[in-house]
Amino acid sequence: MSKPVIATASLAGCFGCHMSFLDIDERILELIELVEFDKSPIDDLKKFTRPVDIGLIEGGCCNAENVEVLRYFRENCRILVSVGECAIMGGLPAMRNLIPLKECLEEAYLNSPTVAPEDRLIPNDEELPLLLNRVYPCHEIVKIDYFLPGCPPSADLIWEALMALIHSQPLKLDYPLIKYD
Amino acid sequence: MPDKIKFTIDGKDCYAEPGQTIYEAAKANGVFIPVLCHYEGLKPVGSCRICSVRANGRWMTSCTQPVTNGMVIENATPEVEAYRKAIIEMLFVEGNHFCPTCEKSGNCELQALAYRYQIMVPQFPYLFPKREIEAFPGFLLEHNRCIQCQRCVRAIQTEDGQKIFALKNRSKDLRINVDLKLAARMTEKEVQKAMDICPVGAILKKEVGFRIPIGKRKYDQKPIGSEVEENK
């Protein structure tokens, strides 16, 4: 039997969850014996090269590109996991949900004291992904199978979850593993 | 002295003093029933419903209902637990609970209950309501996190018995309102009491924050309620 394939993505996140993933330390040697990696910032593959078993999503959806990537993952991954607060509820980027988008952009690009008068311009280039009206949790865009809370989820939680998925075992959830911060 | 009352919780024989509420009696018998609006020493109001149990088959809030002889109480059954989980999830989606940025994280009772019930994601959609943050001389009032438990309304008073916190509006617009003049006169100790009594991070003392390191906070290692369960 071939090894399970893992893919990861960071949408509207800070890469903290990926960093926490790398915090599994020397267990990464064990992991590469067990799985293969496909599209992920870790190997910098831009496109899926084969069907993927487990997709890990960091970050929520704040722009059209995030939505496209998330849908691309859903089409190609058998199991999709929301990793971290941002993927689950929008996280810090979702703090802008309390303020109208127009006001956010004006504050950042027009009215902020750090913007020089000649630079006052709201970015609007067709190369830039369009911002959504608000930040959406991933499970409001596509079906998500599992959720790992935390900011970031601890390396132990990510490890336990991966091992449970790879070995098709129920997830052992010790109390200190579930944290929202 | 009247005899002790005998009753059962999930089939376990328990004993209570006459007049004790289900919540108090359960605690004395080493059984944890979660509460959010109730606080030791305050008059119970039964508004958050998280302490609901089935007593003789009927839904009752255990913080307000006295125990009677022979009462059969269902507490940790799948049905009651699912109901409590739903209440916690509704509280999470109904406000703006950004745990990673909250000073109360790790010491928050709402969060601790969510940990205890192992809630990975709420089953309801997030509402992201627009709420204000108010600043007073000694503290901040973070309406994004307020669950309207009214603990502060009941517990915080001036020496001559005037209330500093009160409710205003109704239904989804219900908010905690603060008496500006009385709030300005609050001592540091009174502000600390208000912050401690708040189950979430809605009342925050100014100029301190994130004082206790991660790992040493109240609910980092042990679930809320474990101190009750260790009693028996």
Side-chain angles (χ1 to χ4, degrees):
Chain A
M1 206 177 85
S2 59
K3 290 177 182 178
V5 183
I6 291 184
T8 73
S10 180
L11 308 179
C14 68
F15 267 93
C17 297
H18 275 83
M19 296 304 288
S20 189
F21 182 20
L22 296 178
D23 273 343
I24 60 174
D25 298 333
E26 76 281 2
R27 284 175 286 185
I28 203 160
L29 299 173
E30 201 179 317
L31 187 68
I32 51 169
E33 294 294 317
L34 287 170
V35 302
E36 283 174 22
F37 274 86
D38 204 83
K39 178 174 163 48
S40 164
I42 294 171
D43 54 24
D44 210 23
L45 282 181
K46 307 295 185 204
K47 291 219 158 82
F48 287 110
T49 61
R50 61 200 137 168
V52 169
D53 296 292
I54 304 164
L56 304 177
I57 303 289
E58 166 191 341
C61 292
C62 78
N63 63 31
E65 195 241 351
N66 295 153
V67 175
E68 202 180 304
V69 173
L70 182 59
R71 289 192 173 138
Y72 187 40
F73 264 74
R74 182 68 275 182
E75 280 163 22
N76 288 279
C77 301
R78 199 165 56 84
I79 297 167
L80 209 52
V81 187
S82 267
V83 182
E85 279 290 294
C86 298
I88 289 174
M89 64 87 66
L92 296 206
M95 286 185 128
R96 83 157 156 96
N97 292 0
L98 317 179
I99 303 159
L101 178 59
K102 189 162 176 270
E103 268 178 53
C104 281
L105 290 170
E106 284 173 355
E107 179 63 30
Y109 296 106
L110 302 182
N111 306 329
S112 164
T114 56
V115 178
E118 65 274 18
D119 293 339
R120 283 187 188 144
L121 180 71
I122 292 180
N124 184 23
D125 191 291
E126 59 181 30
E127 289 282 313
L128 294 173
L130 265 182
L131 287 180
L132 305 180
N133 62 331
R134 67 172 177 88
V135 179
Y136 291 83
C138 291
H139 62 272
E140 291 187 13
I141 308 277
V142 298
K143 164 98 169 72
I144 299 285
D145 302 293
Y146 298 103
F147 300 86
L148 301 177
C151 184
S154 67
D156 290 337
L157 177 60
I158 297 172
W159 175 257
E160 290 292 340
L162 276 180
M163 288 305 114
L165 285 172
I166 291 166
H167 298 122
S168 300
Q169 298 287 326
L171 175 56
K172 269 201 297 140
L173 271 174
D174 290 338
Y175 176 78
L177 286 185
I178 303 181
K179 289 282 177 292
Y180 297 167
D181 60 2
Chain B
M1 196 187 142
D3 288 337
K4 283 211 165 188
I5 290 168
K6 195 179 166 196
F7 68 107
T8 64
I9 300 178
D10 298 333
K12 176 190 161 178
D13 283 335
C14 298
Y15 299 90
E17 306 291 338
Q20 265 187 326
T21 62
I22 300 173
Y23 166 74
E24 289 166 338
K27 195 176 175 185
N29 286 275
V31 176
F32 174 67
I33 299 178
V35 288
L36 277 173
C37 68
H38 185 51
Y39 193 82
E40 220 66 68
L42 294 183
K43 192 181 171 204
V45 289
S47 68
C48 77
R49 321 307 283 182
I50 198 88
C51 69
S52 294
V53 292
R54 269 192 188 275
N56 294 338
R58 301 177 67 169
W59 285 108
M60 287 178 180
T61 48
S62 65
C63 70
T64 55
Q65 180 64 37
V67 188
T68 55
N69 219 347
M71 209 177 226
V72 178
I73 291 164
E74 295 165 49
N75 173 44
T77 62
E79 185 199 22
V80 176
E81 303 270 78
Y83 175 95
R84 286 176 186 159
K85 260 176 112 160
I87 294 177
I88 297 166
E89 290 169 354
M90 281 193 269
L91 288 171
F92 264 97
V93 301
E94 179 272 344
N96 296 307
H97 297 273
F98 295 96
C99 291
T101 65
C102 181
E103 292 90 323
K104 201 68 176 265
S105 189
N107 298 309
C108 168
E109 290 176 40
L110 178 65
Q111 189 193 53
L113 285 175
Y115 290 170
R116 186 182 162 106
Y117 290 106
Q118 302 204 322
I119 294 172
M120 307 300 260
V121 64
Q123 57 185 304
F124 308 107
Y126 288 97
L127 297 181
F128 296 114
K130 197 171 161 39
R131 303 235 193 121
E132 304 293 322
I133 304 173
E134 284 184 275
F136 301 97
F139 64 97
L140 298 168
L141 190 54
E142 236 292 17
H143 290 285
N144 287 300
R145 301 168 187 160
C146 179
I147 57 169
Q148 285 107 26
C149 67
Q150 304 167 49
R151 279 189 190 177
C152 57
V153 174
R154 284 170 289 155
I156 310 299
Q157 294 178 354
T158 59
E159 272 177 25
D160 51 355
Q162 294 186 75
K163 285 191 171 177
I164 300 174
F165 297 87
L167 289 177
K168 71 171 175 187
N169 304 340
R170 282 182 183 277
S171 182
K172 68 177 176 41
D173 299 316
L174 190 74
R175 292 284 181 279
I176 296 293
N177 200 18
V178 176
D179 187 312
L180 288 172
K181 278 185 191 159
L182 297 179
R185 274 191 251 138
M186 278 171 86
T187 62
E188 220 185 297
K189 223 174 132 187
E190 285 170 327
V191 169
Q192 187 63 51
K193 185 184 169 193
M195 181 172 170
D196 292 342
I197 214 160
C198 180
V200 291
I203 300 174
L204 297 169
K205 194 173 166 211
K206 278 189 183 171
E207 294 172 18
V208 278
F210 306 104
R211 201 164 39 92
I212 309 167
I214 290 174
K216 293 192 172 167
R217 299 168 305 181
K218 208 167 168 188
Y219 304 116
D220 275 342
Q221 306 300 336
K222 280 187 179 178
I224 187 169
S226 49
E227 70 287 351
V228 174
E229 288 158 335
E230 278 159 15
N231 271 345
K232 275 285 153 83

